[in-house]
Amino acid sequence: MIAILPVIIGLHYLANRLGLPPAVPLLGGGCLMAFLPGLPAFSPDPELILVIFLPPLLIDGAWGISVRYLRKHIIGITSLAVGAVLFTTLVVAAVTHWLFPSLPLAACAALGAIVSPPDAVSARAVLQQVKLPRRVLMLLEGESLLNDATGLVLFRFAVAAVITGAFSTTQALGSFAILALGGAAIGAAVGVAWVLIGRRLQDEYLVITSALLVSWAAYILAEQLHVSGVIATVIAGMICGTNQYKVFTAAGRVRGIAFWTVTVFLMETAVFMLIGLSLRGVVERIGGFGMALEQMAVPVLWILLALLVARFTWIFLSDGAISLCRLLGMKRYTPLGARGALVLGWAGVRGVVTLALALSLPEDFPGRDFILVSAFAVILCTVLVQGTTLGLLIRWTGLVPPESDKPRLSMSEAEAALMQVQLQVVQSKAYDEEGKLIHPQMLEQYRKKASIYANYAGQESVLAPTVHAHFDVVLEAIAAAHAELIRLHKVGDIDEHTLVELQKNLDLEELTALAIRT
């Protein structure tokens, strides 16, 4: 794990220089590391991998998701997270059974459930590199957060059907409802508990630590009670994210964002490295690359094709159904259109959940070797091919965020509105009860700032060069102060406490200047 860290830094730097999604070189680097001479074989415990990595990464996505837009697009998200996963599972199961008639249908369904849900971690790693209309982005984010629950339920029932030889559709639907509702209830309870406890901790480090623990608390508690840990984590994250401003102080938010950003970065990058490192065990189990290419290459290509066709079919049929409803007078919903549907279909990237489910299959499970190879091939192809070409596809289709995606106020207009509110408060406090001005400099300062912000709003393109030049000088002055502060400490004129406190003040000044400049 320690050796992986410098590799992550190097590969992520390479991705930035080449303009690639970071997942691509990280996954490739992990695959290469797996076969380096002298390195031990990596055989992860799939349940452990899921518990360690999945909850924090899920809650990070849920924490910042817009609940308002999630409610607005809940039908589309449900269609993808439940309908598309179920349909894809059935299609892949049918194709697998056609390829291997002797393989039990339940085992074929298990493969379908493993490869059908796009992965939240992989999806975000790809989506960070592209700019999409808000509706498409919300559909992809919402799908990736919720579809794992559908895939996990289908997988468990398929495995149970292979082992017991029995399957009940009614029981499966009832169990899915219990898992989903139970998970939502656990997540809501954990989220509310964090809000209540966090407001009483009165220590930013404790609040940050407790926020990290929320993800594992929701996931593990739900799994122990045999309901959906994925849904529990997502619901807890949404509640915490909505109420974060009631819990965090300004200093807590600054420190928390810094801590959480680095934590999520390390977890995301480590996941792709671990997926790549797992390749060696898969290859050795089936007898080497030669055996895989000779016996499984063609069937795996059929599975990949079935996966793509199923996803595109479901998305285009759903969009067509919306268009038909509009023709019949039901105009509440608007179709994505061919370009949006094409991008939505191509963005189905698989990752850690697919690998963990495949590795968790019992040793004597029918067709286990083929399922492992297929799962790994799906991850490689979706990340390396779809992940690298999604940006090209978006540019080729000309899919850009529409004007309706833009908020009513621009950034500068919102800043001007906030400054007017601050000015009103200062004006109300600048005079004593007798009407005497007691804070003249503060009042003048806020009047001047309010005027500057008001003049800047709507004229960004004209005034931006002047603003940039102004804050370039401010940043140079702060840099000079940094250097002088270090010199004063070095010669012994100030102690460590003074150094830390003044450094903190300069850092906040620099962050403010950078934020305004950009």
Side-chain angles (χ1 to χ4, degrees), residues 127-139:
L127 294 177
Q128 287 174 346
Q129 308 295 314
V130 297
K131 191 171 185 179
L132 288 170
R134 187 186 295 274
R135 182 184 177 190
V136 176
L137 187 62
M138 185 57 61
L139 289 173

Side-chain angles (χ1 to χ4, degrees), residues 410-456:
S410 67
M411 177 70 76
S412 58
E413 289 170 338
E415 289 173 336
L418 295 180
M419 188 52 62
Q420 285 295 329
V421 172
Q422 293 182 59
L423 175 60
Q424 291 174 10
V425 172
V426 172
Q427 284 177 331
S428 67
K429 304 293 183 182
Y431 299 88
D432 62 13
E433 294 179 355
E434 298 177 355
K436 181 181 178 181
L437 183 61
I438 55 177
H439 298 299
Q441 292 181 336
M442 182 185 297
L443 181 59
E444 179 60 27
Q445 176 188 0
Y446 272 83
R447 280 176 175 168
K448 186 175 182 180
K449 289 174 68 175
S451 175
I452 291 172
Y453 277 86
N455 292 334
Y456 184 72

Side-chain angles (χ1 to χ4, degrees), residues 111-397:
L111 173 58
I114 288 171
V115 300
S116 58
D119 181 65
V121 180
S122 300
R124 184 172 56 185
V126 171
L127 294 177
Q128 287 174 346
Q129 308 295 314
V130 297
K131 191 171 185 179
L132 288 170
R134 187 186 295 274
R135 182 184 177 190
V136 176
L137 187 62
M138 185 57 61
L139 289 173
L140 288 170
E141 289 182 348
E143 175 198 16
S144 66
L145 287 173
L146 298 176
N147 61 11
D148 288 336
T150 308
L152 286 166
V153 171
L154 293 174
F155 172 75
R156 288 172 180 172
F157 275 102
V159 172
V162 171
I163 295 174
T164 64
F167 178 78
S168 170
T169 303
T170 304
Q171 182 184 3
L173 292 174
S175 297
F176 179 78
I178 293 172
L179 288 167
L181 294 175
I186 296 296
V190 172
V192 171
W194 177 80
V195 174
L196 296 175
I197 294 171
R199 296 176 69 175
R200 289 164 173 78
L201 289 177
Q202 297 181 343
D203 185 301
E204 59 201 48
Y205 298 107
L206 297 181
V207 175
I208 294 169
T209 304
S210 67
L212 177 63
L213 289 174
V214 165
S215 61
W216 287 305
Y219 185 88
I220 294 173
L221 181 59
E223 290 295 318
Q224 289 296 312
L225 296 176
H226 305 292
V227 294
S228 174
V230 172
I231 291 180
T233 307
V234 170
I235 295 298
M238 291 169 59
I239 291 175
C240 294
T242 302
N243 294 277
Q244 60 178 302
Y245 299 104
K246 301 176 182 178
V247 179
F248 281 105
T249 62
R253 276 194 297 274
V254 172
R255 291 188 172 98
I257 290 172
F259 165 77
W260 194 254
T261 301
V262 175
T263 300
V264 169
F265 167 77
L266 290 174
M267 284 195 164
E268 280 187 349
T269 51
V271 161
F272 289 108
M273 290 294 294
L274 295 177
I275 291 174
L277 287 170
S278 301
L279 177 61
R280 180 174 169 181
V282 174
V283 171
E284 288 178 349
R285 176 178 172 83
I286 61 176
F289 282 109
M291 184 68 70
L293 292 174
E294 182 180 342
Q295 296 185 359
M296 300 183 183
V298 174
V300 165
L301 288 176
W302 276 107
I303 297 300
L304 288 167
L305 181 61
L307 203 62
L308 281 174
V309 170
R311 181 171 177 84
F312 276 109
T313 300
W314 179 269
I315 290 173
F316 275 93
L317 285 178
S318 300
D319 209 47
I322 295 175
S323 299
L324 180 61
C325 289
R326 289 183 67 84
L327 290 176
L328 296 176
M330 295 177 283
K331 299 186 177 181
R332 181 179 178 183
Y333 300 103
T334 305
L336 285 171
R339 294 183 298 174
L342 186 64
V343 171
L344 192 65
W346 192 247
V349 185
R350 276 66 175 180
V352 63
V353 174
T354 293
L355 180 65
L357 291 181
L359 291 172
S360 68
L361 287 171
E363 290 291 330
D364 57 349
F365 195 83
R368 186 176 191 270
D369 291 347
F370 177 70
I371 292 175
L372 281 173
V373 173
S374 298
F376 213 99
V378 165
I379 296 170
L380 284 175
C381 290
T382 55
V383 172
L384 299 181
V385 178
Q386 291 175 235
T388 56
T389 57
L390 181 60
L392 295 174
L393 180 65
I394 293 171
R395 289 192 290 272
W396 178 72
T397 57

